[in-house]
Every structure is written in structure tokens, then in C-alpha cells.
Amino acid sequence: GQNIDQPTEMTATEGAIVQINCTYQTSGFNGLFWYQQHAGEAPTFLSYNVLDGLEEKGRFSSFLSRSKGYSYLLLKELQMQDSASYLCAGMDSNYQLIWGAGTKLIIKP
Amino acid sequence: GAVVSQHPSRVICKSGTSVKIECRSLDFQATTMFWYRQFPKQSLMLMATSNEGSKATYEQGVEKDKFLINHASLTLSTLTVTSAHPEDSSFYICSAPGTPDYNEQFFGPGTRLTVL
């Protein structure tokens, strides 16, 4: 079956670094997405990885290892407004997104 | 980036009534749009894939006669919740791929449906 696993909740301190892990199992693979979702709002696209390695985009970086079925989202210089849910989603061979349940990130001063 | 709009943003209706939600791609054409439902503190659940000019593809467990989808043009898909009941109260979100190879999805802002 298809499955996405990520931690339910994480806590970090303002200014620090946090890594959110995601493991995936999909029927075929057409990429791994990370989205940010604030409460009551639709998700916002953060990153897309389809090849192994690290993609850096400002304070956010995303890593993919296809052989391990593993990805992480790295957030640096955390700000209070980074408090949100972070959704990991794998795209299967039919170009459908398989969503994780999301990781609620709590930032403390 | 591409913009997807949804209307209405919030709707409250009585049990038994029907509610129509519109999803529009504002600056690009979308032959495919996706409809999701999200219950509180849960992830997005794909309901159906809307295809322009043809019938929608529904996920297992989603009643096609209850959730009517029409994709009449390359920029508009509508979801109609027929005979809504309180258990249909949820956050409904549409998305459209911004590229032919689907490597970026643009989400509408969502519609909060409350059925009394």
C-alpha cells in the first residue's frame, strides 16, 4: 500500500534549526513535496524533490533519498511565523499526491 | 506563481440543502483539478480528480451522486455538495497542477462548509 509517515508534532526555539523527517511508500514515484499549512488556510508549496540530494531555498532546504524512501525538510533561523503544520506528500505513478498527516511545528521564544 | 481562487470562502447552510463551490485557475489553464476535503487536525483527503470535458474520477468511498463535479471549462471546476448533512462539514480545497508534469500544485484558499 501507499503510505507517508512523519512525526505528529515537534517543538523548536526561535532562531534555531529544525529537521522534519518523512518516509514514504508510493506506487511508482514522481517526486516528493513539502507544503506549509497555517491553521484554517490552504497549504502553500515549499519544495519539490525528484532527484537525490539537497535542494536549498533560502531558510528552507529539502533532502531526498529515493533508495531509502526518505526525505527531510530543514528550517533554519526559525521565526515565530514558521509555526504551522508541514505536510509531506509523495506523488505516485499516476501523478496523484499521497499525503502525510502533517507535522505540527511549535516555535517557542 | 499561478493563482487558484475558490468561492465562497465560507458557507453555512441548513441540512438537506445543496452547496456549490467554485474553483478557478486565474492565469493559467487547468485541464485537471483536484478536490480535497480536510477535517480538523487531519491531512488532506483526495475526493476526486476533475477532468475538463469528461467525467470526474472519484476516490474510493466518495459518493459521486452526492459530490457532483463539473469541469466545464479550462479555468473552472465546480463541486456541488448535494443534500448536505452535518457530517459533510469540512474544509474543501481545490488544486491544479501548474506544469504539465504535475511537479507543482497550486491550491485554492479553501472553502469552510458548515452544515447545521
Side-chain angles (χ1 to χ4, degrees):
Chain A
Q2 305 197 93
N3 193 49
I4 304 286
D5 282 320
Q6 54 182 128
T8 304
E9 187 174 297
M10 299 182 71
T11 302
T13 305
E14 188 178 16
I17 300 173
V18 70
Q19 177 174 312
I20 304 174
N21 296 323
C22 169
T23 57
Y24 67 89
Q25 281 183 301
T26 56
S27 300
F29 181 72
N30 276 305
L32 193 290
F33 294 77
W34 284 96
Y35 285 85
Q36 180 191 60
Q37 186 178 27
H38 286 101
E41 299 180 11
T44 303
F45 172 80
L46 289 179
S47 68
Y48 168 74
N49 294 67
V50 68
L51 299 176
D52 289 348
L54 186 69
E55 295 272 348
E56 297 187 70
K57 195 185 289 185
R59 294 190 299 114
F60 293 3
S61 302
S62 57
F63 172 84
L64 176 68
S65 168
R66 289 173 297 173
S67 63
K68 296 181 179 178
Y70 167 71
S71 173
Y72 67 71
L73 180 69
L74 190 73
L75 293 78
K76 303 176 184 176
E77 302 170 15
L78 286 170
Q79 301 172 2
M80 296 303 293
Q81 56 262 39
D82 295 332
S83 292
S85 284
Y86 291 85
L87 305 174
C88 173
M91 181 170 278
D92 68 13
S93 57
N94 293 320
Y95 295 97
Q96 289 210 349
L97 288 173
I98 312 301
W99 293 89
T103 298
K104 182 178 180 181
L105 178 62
I106 300 169
I107 309 295
K108 296 185 175 180
Chain B
V3 177
V4 175
S5 71
Q6 269 183 255
H7 177 80
S9 58
R10 291 177 184 270
V11 57
I12 300 173
C13 69
K14 293 182 179 180
S15 185
T17 61
S18 294
V19 175
K20 180 188 282 188
I21 303 170
E22 292 185 349
C23 177
R24 292 181 186 272
S25 56
L26 296 186
D27 51 3
F28 67 105
Q29 294 182 333
T31 56
T32 300
M33 290 184 175
F34 300 98
W35 285 97
Y36 293 90
R37 180 168 52 183
Q38 186 178 33
F39 293 107
K41 298 185 180 180
Q42 295 186 25
S43 191
L44 287 79
M45 297 287 292
L46 179 65
M47 298 176 67
T49 302
S50 172
N51 304 299
E52 189 269 336
S54 64
K55 292 182 179 179
T57 304
Y58 289 82
E59 295 301 299
Q60 193 171 8
V62 178
E63 299 174 57
K64 62 180 181 182
D65 294 331
K66 179 172 181 64
F67 298 99
L68 301 178
I69 291 174
N70 185 296
H71 196 147
S73 76
L74 289 171
T75 60
L76 174 64
S77 175
T78 60
L79 168 69
T80 301
V81 183
T82 62
S83 186
H85 289 96
E87 57 266 30
D88 298 324
S89 298
S90 187
F91 192 44
Y92 291 86
I93 309 173
C94 69
S95 76
T99 58
D101 56 0
Y102 287 42
N103 70 356
E104 190 162 2
Q105 294 279 336
F106 297 99
F107 283 86
T111 297
R112 175 75 60 192
L113 171 63
T114 303
V115 184
L116 303 177

